[in-house]
Amino acid sequence: MTRSNPDSCPGVLRLHQAADGPLARIRLPGGRLEPGQLQVLAQAAAELGDGNLELTSRGNVQLRQMHDAAALSERLAGAGLLPSRTHERVRNIVASPLSGRIGGRSDVHGLVPVLDAGLQAAERLAELPGRVLFTLDDGRGDISGLGGDIGVHATGADEFALVLAGRDTGIRISPADAVQVMLAAAHGFLDLGSGQWRLQEVDDGVRRVIDTLGLSPGPDRLEFGAQDIPIGWLDQDNGQVSLGAAVRLGSLPARTAEFIAAIERPIFITPWRSLVIADLEEWPAEQVVRVLAPMGLIFDANSPWLQVSACAGRPGCAKSNTDVRADAAAAVESGRVQSPPAPNPPAEDAASGDPDQPLDSTATDLADSGAAIDPARTIEIRSAEDVTVAGRQHWSGCERRCGRPRGPVTDVVATENGYRID
């Protein structure tokens, strides 16, 4: 099926008219921010918007209630965050945040600016849908499992696997060829003329793009899965320290962002709506934790906040049935977000056969709890105060389930009468 409408992904020059006001999305290739750039974003959020930076699942930043688009674009251009007016929405590049500092088979951060420059230099690639995602994985498997469209995955210091539609193609390329092959694949995607927004939506799309590349797949295929989020004290290979910090529901207050910028170290926004502050010495790192933890940053890898994500909900989204972010936060703060259960052996009759998708689940019998029943679906509908879920969970204001992370996740979906747990 060909989509009838162009993608509507927002940028800086084309804002999304959300229910609570205009929304801007700023692309951060590789998730990297210099301290001065973060300071500019924080000031823009405080002075032009609602006072928060929203971290996205692609390592980008969103600013809400942006009522002065001209002032915003001027500030971002001055900070180097808007290098192209024609290609700003296609600079969707995620990379392994810890690459070159902790582990990994190859440092992929050097490929980020080269790929970004290549995208901007190709006039035709401005036609890419704003949802096409480029991925650079240093071999640890944290990025390739995100289901990008075009990417590379390090198999060694001198070899990459070409990844298309989130799958290993079997093609192996050198680091020197990696960017050019990715750019050629992007042109190949446009050559298909499918009208689709993502490569995985195109019928036989991967094979057809490979045909345009003139490369031959080998027999080996890598499998990608979910990885742990880098949170807490992270010892770098060079003896310095990185700090991984989760952000509650991905919303970073501008004032906290200003404190982070003042540390004057590189910052990486991750695709898990968290951030990494890199290249610290031990004593300053200890002081950073002491200052930022009371401000709400989470350095505990076992925090229940890491189990919960949510869509924008009300008042930001007119389609939402309720303020899901407030309800999700209340669930965490009241102790109703529980530790994940011990894994069960895989079901032999799993219908989907896709390890990246959860099996359907049935809500617990609440006959004695007074929960309402939706007779049309024979599924329990619970009030927000009655929702208790173990493990990873995504709270959605409607059936669209925007922002839902990949992998096994329990869906907590708002209806007109309460929440349904899937």
Side-chain angles (χ1 to χ4, degrees):
M1 178 185 72
T2 300
R3 293 185 184 269
S4 57
N5 299 316
D7 83 277
S8 57
C9 281
V12 175
L13 303 176
R14 186 174 80 181
L15 306 184
H16 168 64
Q17 297 303 316
D20 60 345
L23 178 148
R25 183 176 298 159
I26 299 96
R27 268 66 178 187
L28 307 175
R32 178 160 182 154
L33 277 171
E34 298 304 323
Q37 293 176 322
L38 181 57
Q39 179 67 28
V40 168
L41 289 175
Q43 290 176 339
E47 297 170 8
L48 304 176
D50 73 345
N52 296 288
L53 288 72
E54 288 188 350
L55 313 187
T56 80
S57 61
R58 293 183 166 199
N60 296 320
V61 165
Q62 293 183 163
L63 302 179
R64 305 190 76 93
Q65 301 180 28
M66 286 285 117
H67 294 286
D68 192 338
L72 176 65
S73 60
E74 182 179 355
R75 293 185 185 205
L76 298 184
L81 292 169
L82 185 59
S84 171
R85 299 181 68 86
T86 55
H87 290 66
E88 63 136 342
R89 296 191 315 117
V90 305
R91 302 169 62 237
N92 298 301
I93 305 170
V94 294
S96 299
L98 302 180
S99 190
R101 290 177 170 84
I102 302 173
R105 295 190 175 101
S106 179
D107 185 355
V108 296
H109 281 303
L111 298 178
V112 174
V114 182
L115 176 58
D116 187 26
L119 285 170
Q120 296 180 55
E123 181 178 351
R124 184 182 181 226
L125 293 185
E127 301 172 14
L128 284 170
R131 304 195 185 199
V132 169
L133 179 63
F134 295 87
T135 60
L136 302 171
D137 193 307
D138 69 359
R140 75 185 71 223
D142 55 347
I143 298 300
S144 293
L146 298 177
D149 296 277
I150 299 168
V152 292
H153 183 105
T155 59
D158 300 313
E159 182 184 74
F160 284 102
L162 177 64
V163 179
L164 296 178
R167 304 286 183 180
D168 180 5
T169 62
I171 294 172
R172 300 295 183 260
I173 55 180
S174 70
D177 293 332
V179 168
Q180 289 305 314
V181 170
M182 294 176 73
L183 294 172
H187 283 283
F189 174 76
L190 289 178
D191 289 340
L192 300 182
S194 66
Q196 301 288 13
W197 298 340
R198 305 293 306 276
L199 179 56
Q200 49 262 56
E201 297 172 351
V202 181
D203 290 339
D204 204 18
V206 170
R207 182 196 61 79
R208 294 163 65 188
V209 168
I210 289 175
D211 287 346
T212 70
L213 299 177
L215 299 174
S216 300
D220 297 330
R221 299 290 190 279
L222 300 172
E223 296 292 333
F224 308 125
Q227 299 290 318
D228 291 335
I229 302 173
I231 295 295
W233 188 279
L234 308 168
D235 290 315
Q236 296 182 184
D237 297 339
N238 66 356
Q240 293 182 308
V241 174
S242 285
L243 294 174
V247 177
R248 297 181 182 188
L249 299 180
S251 184
L252 179 66
R255 183 60 175 156
T256 306
E258 289 181 332
F259 271 78
I260 297 170
I263 300 168
E264 296 188 341
R265 289 293 183 270
I267 303 111
F268 293 90
I269 307 300
T270 82
W272 307 286
R273 296 183 172 91
S274 63
L275 55 89
V276 172
I277 306 166
D279 301 341
L280 293 157
E281 301 299 332
E282 286 194 12
W283 188 87
E286 293 174 354
Q287 308 316 305
V288 167
V289 173
R290 289 175 180 172
V291 171
L292 294 181
M295 298 182 72
L297 288 193
I298 299 163
F299 297 97
D300 178 5
N302 296 314
S303 169
W305 285 104
L306 273 66
Q307 302 292 336
V308 181
S309 58
C311 71
R314 289 184 183 174
C317 179
K319 293 182 173 65
S320 179
N321 287 301
T322 190
D323 185 348
V324 293
R325 298 174 77 84
D327 290 341
V332 175
E333 292 166 352
S334 64
R336 287 182 283 114
V337 173
Q338 302 174 346
S339 300
N344 293 320
E348 295 180 358
D349 59 347
S352 70
D354 184 349
D356 289 333
Q357 295 298 326
L359 301 177
D360 290 340
S361 60
T362 303
T364 304
D365 184 2
L366 298 180
D368 296 328
S369 71
I373 303 294
D374 181 347
R377 297 177 60 91
T378 63
I379 293 176
E380 290 91 351
I381 301 298
R382 315 180 187 197
S383 68
E385 296 77 11
D386 289 330
V387 174
T388 300
V389 178
R392 295 184 69 205
Q393 53 198 271
H394 183 69
W395 292 59
S396 303
C398 71
E399 294 293 344
R400 295 189 306 160
R401 310 182 191 202
C402 295
R404 186 185 190 277
R406 291 176 64 86
V409 178
T410 298
D411 287 295
V412 184
V413 182
T415 70
E416 293 182 355
N417 301 315
Y419 283 98
R420 186 184 76 248
I421 299 178
D422 293 342

